[in-house]
Amino acid sequence: MSRATVTGRYAGPVSRAAAVAVDVGVVLASYSVGVAILGFLLQALLDVSIEEGTGAVATVALLTWAAVYVVVTTAVSGRTVGKALVGLKIVSRDGRPVGPGACLVRTLLFPLSTSFFGVGALLIVLRRDHRALHDLIARTAVVYDWGDRQAQLPGPLTAYLRAHDAA
């Protein structure tokens, strides 16, 4: 197999934090919508309310949903919604697409990486390749990658520059 190419360099702490913030919003919003729909359907069809005893069960369900979201989106496309918006991609250490097993290991180790005062995540700042503890163990890296598309200027500015260059 040949080494895959990516269009960027290792992603830094600010862009990675921005992607995590977007992903937290996506997880919370999608979970809330899912619970609302499930609650409505259970109430309408079975006259059952899911409002009772939701503390620990809801927490476990939310964490499970977050893990499924991260593992599936990363295994399918190498990025979550947050990473896609920021222009990041998770790859194996040698630049190849990350496999489902590495996605699962990386996701399960993320809490370890961010616990204990964020020592595992602090490696993003300290290491030259910006890999956190969960990246090191899963043998992954987060890189800037906007795909194979070229950067383009906004439409009116591009038209002006083309007309100016032609003159």
Side-chain angles (χ1 to χ4, degrees):
M1 281 192 206
S2 66
R3 184 179 166 117
T5 59
V6 291
T7 60
R9 60 191 189 284
Y10 293 113
V14 174
S15 55
R16 289 180 69 158
V20 168
V22 171
D23 286 331
V24 166
V26 169
V27 166
L28 291 175
S30 59
Y31 177 79
S32 298
V33 168
V35 168
I37 290 171
L38 179 64
F40 173 77
L41 290 175
L42 286 174
Q43 186 67 40
L45 300 174
L46 303 174
D47 196 29
V48 174
S49 174
I50 60 171
E51 305 266 339
E52 302 165 10
T54 57
V57 173
T59 301
V60 169
L62 175 61
L63 293 175
T64 301
W65 171 244
V68 167
Y69 161 79
V70 172
V71 170
V72 170
T73 57
T74 304
V76 169
S77 65
R79 57 184 90 210
T80 60
V81 172
K83 283 183 178 48
L85 288 175
V86 178
L88 305 179
K89 187 171 188 175
I90 301 169
V91 295
S92 65
R93 215 174 83 199
D94 62 358
R96 294 186 191 151
V98 65
C103 294
L104 181 62
V105 168
R106 189 177 187 282
T107 301
L108 293 176
L109 291 175
F110 182 79
L112 175 67
S113 202
T114 56
S115 58
F116 304 113
F117 306 106
V119 172
L122 184 63
L123 293 174
I124 296 170
V125 177
L126 299 176
R127 290 181 56 91
R128 189 172 217 196
D129 59 4
H130 301 296
R131 293 171 65 208
L133 180 62
H134 57 280
D135 290 315
L136 294 170
I137 295 172
R139 297 184 177 152
T140 60
V142 180
V143 296
Y144 293 105
D145 184 33
W146 290 101
D148 292 334
R149 62 182 185 234
Q150 294 180 1
Q152 295 179 346
L153 296 172
L157 182 56
T158 302
Y160 170 78
L161 291 174
R162 283 186 187 147
H164 185 66
D165 287 340

